[in-house]
Amino acid sequence: MLDPAGPAAEAIAGLWWILFLVCSVYFVIVMMLLTVAVLRRPRDTGPPRYGGRAFIFIGGIAAPAVILVTLLFFSLSTTAALRQPETGLTIQVVGHQWWWEVRYPEQDIVTANELFIPAGEPVRLELSSADVVHSFWVPRLHGKMDLLPGKKTYFWLEAREPGTFRGQCAEFCGLQHANMAFTVTALPPREFAAWVARRQVPLVEPDAEPLRRGEEVFFRAGCHACHAIRGTPAAGRIGPDLTHVGSRPTLGAGMLPNNIGNMAGWVANPQAIKPGARMPATYVGSTDFQALVAYLMSLQ
Ligand code: CUA
């Protein structure tokens, strides 16, 4: 949060520093006065010797009023700076227990737990929830925004430079709330256009073993009831879209780095890795299982 990488986070971090510095100075002054008050016991009950009423008016009314109004000014100007700018791209994010569905409606792209955005330009976010209240937070890019069931909320993101930024659910949403992470990858605009083009190319049906067998196992084991793979009949909407799952950085919304070993562990028994997750264990024979995992990793 204090290492901002976009205009919104810069505005918020700037306000944070102002509040921190002003409050720190005031805190030190108050603590010094408190120490004096504790150490100096009144020797008599006569009128106070250090300023009396004037001190109360200045220290207790005038100074706080000036400081609070000044801070209010900074706070309001930060709020104004966070207003939604004009944007070209719209991304829909749907919160689920405990992962993120990410849709690019105009580009017809669906993914999960990863957002790709062009660097140097704001993108518009439409947020909603499939179950309970979640909160979308990429500390280096912006503040937080809730995802609410039955209601859309709107937000925006901008990264000044290309890079990858961690995001996190910031509203307690159940057992695996802490393990509801995602990444935002900002690409130079031309690379972003190439990413969109790559994601729009239909999948090529696997033509070699064991990938063909893996695809067949995917349907036989019932994975398609919850998951979609575009270009195949799999069109489930309960779990993440797996069209390019092999290219994702993590599994289980940030639980594990995505590699073939972790993919095998995750598919075999997600409950051991992320207790309470909606995905059940997969029971298939070992040859079928290896083919299934190889097939999933081939979905780049
Ligand atoms: Cu979703 Cu916390």
Side-chain angles (χ1 to χ4, degrees), residues 126-197:
E126 274 180 31
L127 307 176
S128 60
S129 170
D131 37 50
V132 300
V133 179
H134 304 273
S135 179
F136 182 96
W137 190 29
V138 189
R140 292 193 65 201
L141 297 183
H142 206 317
K144 301 168 184 174
M145 179 58 78
D146 281 358
L147 296 85
L148 307 171
K151 184 183 188 315
K152 274 192 180 165
T153 49
Y154 299 92
F155 205 45
W156 61 281
L157 282 185
E158 178 179 344
R160 286 209 193 278
E161 303 288 337
T164 299
F165 309 97
R166 193 178 190 278
Q168 170 66 40
C169 182
E171 181 73 46
F172 182 73
C173 56
L175 186 60
Q176 293 294 345
H177 153 70
N179 294 316
M180 186 170 165
F182 61 100
T183 54
V184 175
T185 304
L187 298 172
R190 196 177 296 181
E191 281 180 38
F192 176 74
W195 176 83
V196 169

Side-chain angles (χ1 to χ4, degrees), residues 266 269-281:
W266 175 259
N269 189 3
Q271 299 301 319
I273 296 164
K274 195 169 181 177
R278 297 287 180 260
M279 177 155 157

